Amino acid sequence: MFIAAIAITFNITYKRSEKFKFALDRIIIKAPVIGPIMKKSALARFSRTLSIIFAAGVPLVDGMDTVGAATGNRVYQKGVSDVKASISTGRSLESSMAETKLFPNMMIQMVAGGEESGELEIMLDKVADFFEREVDDAVDALASIIEPLMIVMLGIIIGTMILAMYMPIFKMASVF
C-alpha cells in the first residue's frame, strides 16, 4: 500500500512539475551505471540531429530547438538552448558548447575542427558514430553482466520454491 502511494505521488509530481523532471534527468545522467550510457546517448542524438539539420541547410540558430528536443534529456535540452542563445549573439558553436560544460573535450575539438574546415556535418557525423558505438558497447557489457546475475537469481527463486514444496512432504515422511 505504501509503495503504491509513493508510486502514485511520484507519477503525479512527474506529470505536473518541470523542475522535478529536470532534477530527475540530472540524477539519471549522474547515476553510477546507467548515467554514462544516458549521457553518451544524448550526445549521440545531439550530434546526429545537428549534423542532419546542418547538412539540410537549416540555419544553425533555427535548428537548435529541434536538436535540443532530440537529446531526450532536459539537462541537455537546457544546455542546447544556452548554446543557441550564445550562438545568436555571434559566438562560435565550439565556444558556446565549451561554456555549458556539458560536452566532452573531444566533441568540442571535433566541432572546432569542423567549423574551421567548413565540414561541420562530417565531423558531427563522426562524433555521433563514436558515441553510438560507445553506447552499444556499454549496453552489451551491461547485458553480459546482468544476464548471469538473472540466471543465478532465477535459480535461487526456483530452488526456494522447490524446497518450500518438498519440505512438508519430507517432514510427513519422517513422522511415519
Side-chain angles (χ1 to χ4, degrees), residues 79-125:
V80 170
S81 70
D82 292 346
V83 169
K84 176 185 175 185
S86 183
I87 288 172
S88 65
T89 63
R91 296 190 62 196
S92 69
L93 178 61
E94 173 256 334
S95 64
S96 301
M97 288 171 62
E99 196 175 86
T100 65
K101 296 190 177 28
L102 286 174
F103 303 98
N105 281 336
M106 182 272 301
M107 185 176 188
I108 293 169
Q109 291 171 359
M110 293 285 281
V111 167
E115 283 182 317
E116 288 175 14
S117 66
E119 297 182 344
L120 183 60
E121 67 272 5
I122 294 170
M123 290 299 192
L124 287 169
D125 263 340

